[in-house]
Amino acid sequence: MKKDKDMLEEYDFSKGKRGSVISQKGKSRITIWVDTDILEWFREESEREGRGYQTEINQALRNYIKQDKRSIQDIVHDAVRQELKKFKKAS
């Protein structure tokens, strides 16, 4: 095997760190389980849009959270109120 003239005989990885080489400010690396068909849809969409599928998923999540400005407490309160109406009608 031909040796590259710029390669060292040995490299010191004692101060190496696991993970991505360059972290992105304002971003967090996570692992999640996503249904295969959902992931395939995002990959196909991202290919058409010319962007990465992770960027597309991030944008979809951002759009979703911007839809409803109510607090979680208000959302739960409204859901309970709707269920109580159904319950009263059924009685």
Side-chain angles (χ1 to χ4, degrees):
M1 184 165 148
K2 186 179 174 190
K3 184 176 174 186
D4 189 332
K5 66 178 182 168
D6 296 325
M7 287 186 65
L8 300 176
E9 285 291 324
E10 189 173 312
Y11 290 88
D12 179 12
F13 294 104
S14 62
K15 294 182 180 153
K17 295 180 182 177
R18 291 186 63 126
S20 61
V21 178
I22 301 171
S23 62
Q24 295 184 13
K25 191 172 185 164
K27 302 254 181 194
S28 297
R29 179 179 289 251
I30 64 168
T31 300
I32 62 172
W33 289 98
V34 179
D35 293 342
T36 302
D37 59 326
I38 300 298
L39 185 58
E40 287 173 358
W41 184 88
F42 273 102
R43 284 183 169 153
E44 289 168 6
E45 285 296 306
S46 68
E47 197 171 299
R48 278 196 284 277
E49 296 292 322
R51 297 178 2 165
Y53 73 93
Q54 292 175 343
T55 301
E56 293 294 329
I57 292 170
N58 193 67
Q59 189 61 49
L61 291 169
R62 187 171 301 283
N63 291 342
Y64 178 80
I65 64 174
K66 287 181 179 179
Q67 284 178 7
D68 200 335
K69 298 289 185 188
R70 299 176 298 162
S71 69
I72 294 294
Q73 183 178 357
D74 290 339
I75 293 169
V76 170
H77 185 259
D78 290 346
V80 169
R81 189 178 314 139
Q82 289 173 8
E83 290 302 312
L84 285 173
K85 283 181 185 177
K86 290 178 189 176
F87 181 74
K88 286 180 182 178
K89 285 182 182 178
S91 301

